[in-house]
């Protein structure tokens, strides 16, 4: 089977898994948040956001090293990664538990420490699961990856929802998470046919650490975004506000399944084009347009149905989500335009260039949130998202300098067309006219027709 066919099949499995995940995720989060309420959900979301960031640090980019490592596959490399990640996972779990008193004093959320402790104890399991996952992704075996992830999602809600309706509150979500991670970990080792062994090669460790530092530093900086909600919203606006932001993000992430799937495939797929800069620029130009075209209508569609639907489904106490949704949706739309820029730079090993972009973006976002949230509450978080958008100029500059500048016309049309309706409640009815832009613009109509032709004929996009 050719690499192209493997990538296309892998992408199909991931998108189907994400599509099914939307149905399960939306229904599950609807029932869970309605049962436990904004405060309990905010408490879980704050602890979970911190766990995800700790996981990113503890992994040290070793999972990406395993996927991208050149040459034939060697089982000793996986054994060394397992041994190193075991040390890192246990070490960071211990540090995180020791640091809980400091986090408690900063966040000031009642009940935070026991919930965070219960999640932080699972850090080694999360980290060690990246070894068999990397093996599956290196083989482009996304069918197994999709099935395992879907099974984990089902398990989470199967455990969490009955407990939530019995009044377990935030602990229903914690129990669901532990059940999910236990199942996923077992299935990953079984699916990858990997049996871990302890192994120690100082030269190989040095190679992993050196690569992981340059790649992971960039991701660590970017993922500081996820800490703005628990550390700033939690401190100045309370657990309920954390829950509102977390639910808005969760809904948008669920609708962004196409963007997430293409990001996971992009490193492997673009790596095959790194010797041809012209094709790389063309891939970015076409890819960013397709991503906005796929994501924008979903976000706008939800913005249309959300005002009557959200209070009916989730309850009237979740209405503040509507005020923050358009700002976060705009942030995700803009990221859809530029996330392939970062993918190309990663493929070309320009990790530090991506890090500078991430640093500038997070300084704008976190800095604005720190200044605005204490005075404006949730609205301050939304405006901080807007203030951070100019940071994308930096990644545009780095792509142009190292590869070439893509053409933004098509992506810009779709971005403007879907951005304006998100703020129709603020701008007025005329903002809905933005939806006419893709129809008026001839090239956009041609792009839609071409995409539909490819999909209906089952031919892979070049």
């Amino acid at each position: 089977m050719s690499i192209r066919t493997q990538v296309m099949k892998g992408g199909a499995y991931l998108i189907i898994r994400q599509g099914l995940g939307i149905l399960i995720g939306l229904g599950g989060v609807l029932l869970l948040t309605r049962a436990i309420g904004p405060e309990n959900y905010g408490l879980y979301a704050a602890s979970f956001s911190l766990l995800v960031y700790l996981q990113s640090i503890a992994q040290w980019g070793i999972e990406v090293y395993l996927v991208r490592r050149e040459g034939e596959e060697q089982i000793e490399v996986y054994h060394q990664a397992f041994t190193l990640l075991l040390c890192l996972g246990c070490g960071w779990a211990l540090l995180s538990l020791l640091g809980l008193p400091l986090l408690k004093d900063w966040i000031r959320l009642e009940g935070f420490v026991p919930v965070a402790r219960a999640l932080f104890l699972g850090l080694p399991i999360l980290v060690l699961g990246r070894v068999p996952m990397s093996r599956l992704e290196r083989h482009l075996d996304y069918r197994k990856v999709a099935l395992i992830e879907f099974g984990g999602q089902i398990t989470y809600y199967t455990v969490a929802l009955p407990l939530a309706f019995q009044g377990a509150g935030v602990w229903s979500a914690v129990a669901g998470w532990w059940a999910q991670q236990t199942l996923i970990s077992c299935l990953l080792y079984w699916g990858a046919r990997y049996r871990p062994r302890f192994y120690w090669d100082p030269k190989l460790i040095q190679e992993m650490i050196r690569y992981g530092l340059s790649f992971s530093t960039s991701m660590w900086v970017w993922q500081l975004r996820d800490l703005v909600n628990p550390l700033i919203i939690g401190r100045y606006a309370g657990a309920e506000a954390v829950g509102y932001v977390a639910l808005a993000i969760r809904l948008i992430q669920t609708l962004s399944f196409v963007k997430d799937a293409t990001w996971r495939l992009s490193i492997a797929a673009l790596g095959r084009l790194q010797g041809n800069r012209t094709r790389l620029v063309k891939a970015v130009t076409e890819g960013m347009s397709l991503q906005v075209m796929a994501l924008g209508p979903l976000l706008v569609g939800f913005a249309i149905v959300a005002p009557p639907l959200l209070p009916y489904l989730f309850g009237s106490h979740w209405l503040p989500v509507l005020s923050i949704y358009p700002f976060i949706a705009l942030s995700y739309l803009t990221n859809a335009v530029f996330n392939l820029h970062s993918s190309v730079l990663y493929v070309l090993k320009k990790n530090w260039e991506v890090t500078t972009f991430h640093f500038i973006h997070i300084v704008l976002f976190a800095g604005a949130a720190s200044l605005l949230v204490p005075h404006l509450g949730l609205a301050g978080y939304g405006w901080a998202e807007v203030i951070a958008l100019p940071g994308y100029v930096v990644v545009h500059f780095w792509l142009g300098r190292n590869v070439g500048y893509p053409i933004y016309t098509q992506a810009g049309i779709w971005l403007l067309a879907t951005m304006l309706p998100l703020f129709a409640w603020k701008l007025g009815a005329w903002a809905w006219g933005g939806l006419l832009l893709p129809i008026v613009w001839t090239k956009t109509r041609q792009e839609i027709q071409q995409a539909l032709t490819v999909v209906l004929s089952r031919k892979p996009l070049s």
Side-chain angles (χ1 to χ4, degrees), residues 73 88 165 236 276 327 383 459:
E73 185 179 63
L88 290 170
F165 285 111
Y236 295 111
N276 191 324
F327 295 97
W383 286 111
K459 295 178 180 179

Side-chain angles (χ1 to χ4, degrees), residues 372-439:
L372 297 177
V373 170
H375 303 287
L376 302 178
L378 281 177
Y381 182 93
W383 286 111
E385 290 276 21
V386 176
I387 291 172
L389 295 182
Y392 285 102
V393 173
V394 178
V395 76
H396 161 77
F397 167 78
W398 284 123
L399 183 71
R401 183 173 180 177
N402 289 280
V403 181
Y405 293 104
I407 300 172
Y408 292 92
T409 306
Q410 292 295 95
I413 291 291
W414 276 103
L415 179 62
L416 187 61
T418 51
M419 176 185 72
L420 291 176
L422 290 174
F423 294 91
W425 58 276
K426 195 75 173 178
L427 299 175
W430 68 269
W432 294 105
L435 296 175
L436 299 175
L437 288 175
I439 300 174

